[in-house]
């Protein structure tokens, strides 16, 4: 899975600052996806991603939508370095991606908190791997627990949390590690609509306070427009880029937007693009 | 489903909880029934003393063997065999099982051999071990080891292999290195299953004890049973069985507590 010949220089190490980091100081990397193709199971296998190219600027929130099975998760796994690409190249801050690393954080579709660690220890996990000193670690962990509103649950195990709370911890865990790029694969897909909109608000708030390069996959178009600076629509399998749409709605944004004419027009356009794909599929 | 049931009918609701006092009373009741059956059968004289001792006889024999120290020395000898065999087996099986479940090369190398040995009855090794090792403590420990090790290896390897791939993936995106995965992710993720495996195989180790001692021992609970059979002292056989059962129960509860302590999340 991870064996690839070209050896990239290690991602730039986090500066070991003497004073604790504040929420404002964060890394944000650029991301370039160049002619990336993925075939599962060798040259004759399933073509999941077909010659995709796009670039994401630092601090840009890019959302990917597309019919299910079109290769959205596969694309994120490629950027994370968890799956080996068949052709093309992916760069983060001009460094070729050839393995997973803490410069690309990820929030997965399913629950992936470490069940044997408490909420606090989960958020602390990446900081420990980076060998950050205890005092600084504690400051960072508390900031992010606070940011996702789970301070009182710091000593609970994941099994004691609801689905929404688990994903909030997963977001805090990814952000505390201060990755240059944050990958999110339908992070709210399994939640009920009430919790989902709470989570969207929370993510908007955290992201607007502290920008970061984000690549966010969803099948919920409201969510895409609400969160994104840009929405990339993918074709049905094999995944290609069908449209790349800028979302010029000013920030800070709120849930009320979904009633605005601009929002509705954009939604209609994206829905149209997606329906073309789904119709062709059947 | 159970809204309007009377308390009496509630106990017939599938999966329904019953009051704690009832749980305890039923647990005691079954033992009282067994004891009553034993009393009736032995004192009633329907089964001769030679085959079924009276509870009183077993009790007085117990006191006698406690007083002269023979119960203690033989119990200690048996516990020693089981504990040594079990510890040696577990200390090797846990890390090796984790590697086997994590790395395909280790699995491919070991599995053909392990699956062959695993289905051999441990009794088939007894003559060989006596020939090779003699009839000392080492031979009995070897029997316990052989009975538990291969089972543990397979079960721990399966536990390691069923750790969610996305848990490992998440750890990579948080900066875990490839060589750190076994220790930082696979081991803690599989720990509840590993502890369950140890608990179950500890029970099996006790069952091999008697096999080991029946044939080749000069002390131990299995040994005194065997000797008692030749002397028609059925009360000693009863005593040995009760002691083994009691020790097994204590071990099992100890493991339950260890698991609560070491893996409180699961
Ligand atoms: N490990 C795999 N091996 C083979 N095919 C796969 C694998 N993972 C995904 N696929 C296939 O690749 C396609 C894209 O999958 P995925 O990226 O999960 O889609 P999405 O996230 O858009 O729903 C699907 O047709 C899926 O069946
Ligand atoms: Mg997906």
């Amino acid at each position: 899975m991870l064996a690839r010949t070209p050896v990239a220089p290690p991602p730039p190490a986090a500066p070991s600052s003497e004073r604790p980091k504040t929420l404002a100081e964060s890394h944000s990397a650029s991301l370039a996806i160049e002619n990336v193709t993925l075939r599962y199971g060798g040259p004759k296998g399933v073509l999941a991603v077909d010659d995709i190219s796009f670039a994401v600027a630092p601090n840009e929130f890019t959302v990917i939508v597309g019919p299910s099975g079109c290769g959205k998760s596969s694309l994120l796994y490629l950027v994370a370095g968890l799956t080996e690409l068949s052709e093309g190249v992916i760069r983060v801050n001009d460094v070729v991606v050839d393995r997973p690393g803490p410069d690309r954080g990820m929030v997965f579709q399913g629950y992936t908190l470490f069940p044997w660690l408490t909420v606090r220890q989960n958020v602390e996990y990446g900081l420990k791997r980076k060998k950050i000193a205890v005092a600084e670690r504690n400051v960072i962990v508390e900031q992010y627990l606070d940011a996702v509103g789970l301070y009182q649950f710091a000593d609970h195990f994941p099994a004691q949390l609801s689905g929404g709370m688990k994903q909030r911890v997963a977001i805090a865990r990814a952000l505390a590690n201060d990755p240059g790029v944050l990958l999110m694969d339908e992070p709210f897909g399994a939640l009920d609509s009430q919790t989902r909109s709470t989570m969207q608000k929370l993510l908007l708030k955290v992201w607007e306070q502290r920008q970061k390069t984000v690549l966010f996959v969803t099948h919920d178009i409201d969510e895409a427009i609400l969160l994104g600076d840009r929405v990339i629509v993918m074709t049905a399998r094999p995944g290609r880029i069908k449209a790349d749409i800028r979302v010029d709605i000013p920030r800070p944004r709120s849930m009320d937007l979904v009633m605005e004419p601009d929002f509705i027009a954009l939604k209609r356009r994206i829905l149209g693009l997606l329906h073309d794909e789904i119709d062709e599929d059947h | 489903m159970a809204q309007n049931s009377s308390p009496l009918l509630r106990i017939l609701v599938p999966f329904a909880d019953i009051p704690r006092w009832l749980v305890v009373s039923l647990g005691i009741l079954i033992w009282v029934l067994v004891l009553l059956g034993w009393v009736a059968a032995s004192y009633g004289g329907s089964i001769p003393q030679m085959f079924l001792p009276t509870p009183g006889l077993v009790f007085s024999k117990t006191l006698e063997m406690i007083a002269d120290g023979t119960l203690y020395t033989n119990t200690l000898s048996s516990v020693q065999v089981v504990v040594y065999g079990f510890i040696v087996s577990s200390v090797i099986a846990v890390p090796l099982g984790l590697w086997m479940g994590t790395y395909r090369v280790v699995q491919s190398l070991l599995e053909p051999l392990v699956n062959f040995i695993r289905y051999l009855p441990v009794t088939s090794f007894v003559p060989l071990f006596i020939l090779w090792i003699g009839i000392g403590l080492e031979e009995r420990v070897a029997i316990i080891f052989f009975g538990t090790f291969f089972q543990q290896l397979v079960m721990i390897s399966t536990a390691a292999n069923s750790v969610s791939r996305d848990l490992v993936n998440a750890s990579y995106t948080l900066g875990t290195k490839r060589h750190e995965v076994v220790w930082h992710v696979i081991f803690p993720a599989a720990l509840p299953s590993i502890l369950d495996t140890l608990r179950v195989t500890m029970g099996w180790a006790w069952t091999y004890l008697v096999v080991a001692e029946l044939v080749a021992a000069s002390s131990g609970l299995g040994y005194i049973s065997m000797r008692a059979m030749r002397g028609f002292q059925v009360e000693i056989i009863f005593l040995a069985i009760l002691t083994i059962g009691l020790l097994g129960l204590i071990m099992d509860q100890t493991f339950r507590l260890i698991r609560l302590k070491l893996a409180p999340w699961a």
Side-chain angles (χ1 to χ4, degrees), chain A residues 2 77 112 115-116 125 129, chain B residues 166-167 174 176 178 184 188 265:
Chain A
L2 307 172
Y77 276 66
T112 58
W116 60 93
Y125 181 92
R129 296 287 82 70
Chain B
D166 270 347
L167 215 54
L174 292 165
T176 311
R178 233 181 287 177
H184 281 303
W265 65 90

Side-chain angles (χ1 to χ4, degrees), chain B residues 145-210:
Chain B
F145 177 87
F146 249 71
T148 50
F149 178 72
F150 297 95
Q151 312 292 341
Q152 286 183 338
L153 199 58
V154 170
M155 290 164 80
I156 291 168
S157 148
T158 306
N161 196 256
S162 36
V163 171
S164 147
R165 299 299 182 263
D166 270 347
L167 215 54
V168 176
N169 285 335
S171 83
Y172 282 135
T173 66
L174 292 165
T176 311
K177 307 270 188 340
R178 233 181 287 177
H179 68 270
E180 297 172 326
V181 162
V182 172
W183 176 244
H184 281 303
V185 184
I186 311 274
F187 174 60
L191 187 59
S193 309
I194 291 174
L195 294 173
D196 286 340
T197 297
L198 294 185
R199 182 176 172 188
V200 170
T201 51
M202 174 50 111
W204 296 347
W206 276 103
T207 65
Y208 301 133
L209 170 78
V210 180

Side-chain angles (χ1 to χ4, degrees), chain B residues 44-80:
Chain B
S46 55
I47 302 177
Q49 272 280 355
M50 202 178 89
F51 298 118
L52 187 71
T54 59
L57 186 57
V58 173
F59 186 68
S60 62
K61 194 74 194 175
T62 307
L63 292 182
E64 185 190 317
M65 286 178 65
I66 288 174
D68 68 9
T70 48
L71 185 61
Y72 176 74
T73 48
N74 286 295
T75 302
L76 191 69
S77 162
S78 290
V79 170
Q80 213 177 19

Side-chain angles (χ1 to χ4, degrees), chain A residues 38-41 46-49 66-77 83 109 185-186 217 234-235 237-239:
Chain A
L38 170 66
R39 230 176 253 105
Y40 283 110
V46 182
L47 184 60
V49 174
S68 103
C70 75
K72 304 181 297 293
S73 296
S74 302
L75 188 61
L76 287 199
Y77 276 66
T83 304
Q109 187 166 6
D185 188 4
E186 303 195 32
V217 165
M234 282 175 74
T235 63
R237 207 187 80 203

Side-chain angles (χ1 to χ4, degrees), chain B residues 12-140:
Chain B
L12 298 178
V13 177
F15 303 122
D17 273 330
I18 57 170
R20 179 91 195 129
W21 64 263
L22 189 57
V23 176
V24 175
S25 315
L26 289 172
I28 294 171
L29 178 68
I30 186 69
W31 281 104
V32 170
L33 289 178
V34 168
L35 209 62
L36 281 179
W38 183 12
V39 165
S42 56
Y43 288 110
S46 55
I47 302 177
Q49 272 280 355
M50 202 178 89
F51 298 118
L52 187 71
T54 59
L57 186 57
V58 173
F59 186 68
S60 62
K61 194 74 194 175
T62 307
L63 292 182
E64 185 190 317
M65 286 178 65
I66 288 174
D68 68 9
T70 48
L71 185 61
Y72 176 74
T73 48
N74 286 295
T75 302
L76 191 69
S77 162
S78 290
V79 170
Q80 213 177 19
V81 169
V82 173
V83 170
Y84 285 176
F86 182 78
I87 287 178
V88 173
S89 170
S90 307
V91 163
I92 306 173
V94 171
L96 201 58
L98 286 172
W99 283 326
M100 200 170 146
T102 308
Y103 298 107
R104 277 287 157 76
V105 286
V106 183
Q107 187 194 6
S108 307
L109 178 72
L110 295 180
E111 215 170 49
L113 180 69
V114 171
N115 281 342
F116 171 72
I117 300 179
R118 193 155 80 100
Y119 289 105
L120 292 174
V122 72
T123 39
S124 61
F125 287 96
V126 173
L128 191 63
F129 286 171
I130 293 177
L131 199 65
W132 283 352
I133 316 178
I135 58 163
L137 176 70
E138 295 84 354
E139 185 269 341
R140 279 169 282 155

